[in-house]
Amino acid sequence: MVSFHIEPTSKCTLECPLCDRTWFYETFKKRNLHEIDIDNIVKFVGPNAKITLCGNNGDPIYHSEFLKLCQNFKANNCSLHIHTNGSAKTKEWWEKLKNILQKGDHITFAIDGLEDTNHLYRKNAKWKSIMTAVNTLKNRTFKTTWQFIVFKHNQHQIYEAGKLSKELAFDEFKIKTSDRWRGKKELMPDREYVDDYYKHQEKVLVNKEYTTNMSPQCLKNNLPSQHLYIDAEGDFYPCCWIGTYRYKYKSLFSPKKTDMNIAICSLQEILENKKVIDFFNTTKDFNSAHECCKINCGVKNG
């Protein structure tokens, strides 16, 4: 089964300093605001799909018809994993989403700290509204995760946040390492909070999610083994890394290609496109892989 990573919208209420969306604005002094067409994406994905709703630029819950989007996917028997910062929605809105989701679905809240620190990187995040969301979802059938990216300013709060996650009925507290410290020394945590060989920090490092050291081989039984990425404009990319601003403008999968948009092409037509086939074939070997694959997912075996 092919799974999907879908960016419902490029809109977000936050201004995280190292987000693609913030970089684009600082570079070009404008916002690219888009929303995926619900009918197009539901038809393209089809029934029984495994779907992650996240994105490179926007937060999925800010799609103007996000609840309808989820309803339509669930009507197609799709499983959903929603990634969100959780801000700026009402209790009533979260109640509606709670009634749409089912066992097997999942919401990950990106909360990088406590009330006094979360907003330092996740600028404009509103703690009170995040807690409204979390508390509204306490009695649920689906899973929730608190994802905690470690920064210099929140590293001292890992234990406390983990304890709070249990009180708030999260199913999982996940510590995540990040490359978003790159070039920002003031954000970089002390090594003892991110390196495994500091044995006295073993409790801190439980459930840490690694973002590197994966195999560059992205094919399984001649089908993509990773999430196929669809951005808020309906453009297709082999994965979300290729769809970042860093790579999308210099790759084969540049925007506005009529043979790579879900409004024009079916999934079968895209997967049979020679450019797509050639791309996935390059991932069979580290040396032939795309620059993006080598940097973000590649490790030379042996």
Side-chain angles (χ1 to χ4, degrees):
M1 177 191 296
V2 176
S3 58
F4 297 89
H5 176 178
I6 297 168
E7 178 182 59
T9 181
S10 57
K11 295 188 294 185
C12 187
T13 61
L14 272 55
E15 299 285 345
C16 302
L18 299 180
C19 175
D20 257 20
R21 181 173 172 273
T22 305
W23 171 86
F24 191 88
Y25 179 77
E26 290 176 347
T27 304
F28 299 104
K29 303 304 177 187
K30 64 179 181 179
R31 295 283 190 216
N32 275 345
L33 298 179
H34 303 283
E35 289 193 336
I36 203 155
D37 182 274
I38 292 177
D39 291 338
N40 285 342
I41 190 62
V42 171
K43 179 181 178 182
F44 180 84
V45 167
N48 307 314
K50 183 178 180 181
I51 300 170
T52 294
L53 296 172
C54 187
N56 289 329
N57 301 294
D59 187 306
I61 70 172
Y62 303 121
H63 187 290
S64 61
E65 294 187 288
F66 184 70
L67 296 176
K68 179 181 177 182
L69 176 65
C70 292
Q71 283 178 322
N72 287 10
F73 278 137
K74 295 308 299 178
N76 255 4
N77 198 37
C78 296
S79 66
L80 302 180
H81 187 171
I82 300 165
H83 290 255
T84 181
N85 72 79
S87 286
K89 293 294 184 180
T90 65
K91 176 179 174 63
E92 291 72 24
W93 189 93
W94 287 106
E95 287 282 6
K96 290 177 182 177
L97 181 60
K98 178 180 174 181
N99 291 330
I100 293 170
L101 300 183
Q102 302 167 346
K103 185 178 180 180
D105 296 324
H106 191 171
I107 300 179
T108 292
F109 285 89
I111 309 172
D112 302 334
L114 299 174
E115 184 171 7
D116 61 331
T117 57
N118 181 53
H119 64 283
L120 296 180
Y121 179 77
R122 296 193 178 271
K123 296 185 182 299
N124 300 334
K126 306 300 181 186
W127 185 261
K128 185 177 179 179
S129 67
I130 295 170
M131 291 301 103
T132 294
V134 172
N135 283 309
T136 302
L137 299 178
K138 274 188 175 179
N139 298 313
R140 60 184 181 273
T141 59
F142 50 90
K143 181 179 178 181
T144 61
T145 294
W146 178 334
Q147 175 187 284
F148 186 113
I149 298 179
V150 186
F151 293 104
K152 182 78 169 181
H153 55 261
N154 68 16
Q155 62 185 20
H156 63 290
Q157 297 178 323
I158 294 175
Y159 286 117
E160 189 178 350
K163 182 180 177 182
L164 179 60
S165 74
K166 294 180 180 178
E167 295 172 5
L168 293 172
F170 278 96
D171 296 288
E172 182 180 21
F173 178 72
K174 181 178 289 186
I175 299 168
K176 186 173 181 179
T177 60
S178 175
D179 63 356
R180 294 196 175 186
W181 312 316
R182 217 174 277 166
K184 297 281 185 179
K185 290 185 178 179
E186 70 276 13
L187 295 178
M188 188 176 295
D190 296 333
R191 290 184 64 183
E192 65 185 279
Y193 290 94
V194 294
D195 287 343
D196 284 334
Y197 60 79
Y198 287 89
K199 297 299 182 184
H200 66 287
Q201 288 290 353
E202 284 181 351
K203 290 181 181 178
V204 168
L205 297 170
V206 169
N207 289 332
K208 186 171 71 171
E209 177 183 343
Y210 290 90
T211 57
T212 58
N213 294 330
M214 295 183 291
S215 169
Q217 298 182 8
C218 300
L219 286 178
K220 186 176 182 180
N221 298 327
N222 292 320
L223 284 174
S225 60
Q226 309 296 329
H227 291 311
L228 299 179
Y229 184 63
I230 311 295
D231 73 9
E233 295 180 79
D235 289 320
F236 167 88
Y237 298 90
C239 73
C240 62
W241 287 108
I242 290 285
T244 61
Y245 287 130
R246 179 177 179 181
Y247 297 109
K248 69 192 291 185
Y249 292 109
K250 59 179 181 179
S251 76
L252 293 173
F253 303 93
S254 56
K256 302 303 181 185
K257 296 291 187 181
T258 57
D259 55 351
M260 293 289 173
N261 190 281
I262 65 168
I264 300 168
C265 304
S266 68
L267 174 61
Q268 191 66 33
E269 289 170 331
I270 288 178
L271 292 179
E272 290 176 352
N273 185 297
K274 186 177 185 302
K275 288 187 291 186
V276 176
I277 293 172
D278 289 347
F279 173 86
F280 280 114
N281 281 335
T282 66
T283 68
K284 294 178 180 179
D285 181 79
F286 181 88
N287 292 322
S288 64
H290 189 282
E291 171 196 5
C292 173
C293 304
K294 291 179 180 179
I295 292 173
N296 293 295
C297 295
V299 58
K300 200 167 186 176
N301 295 323

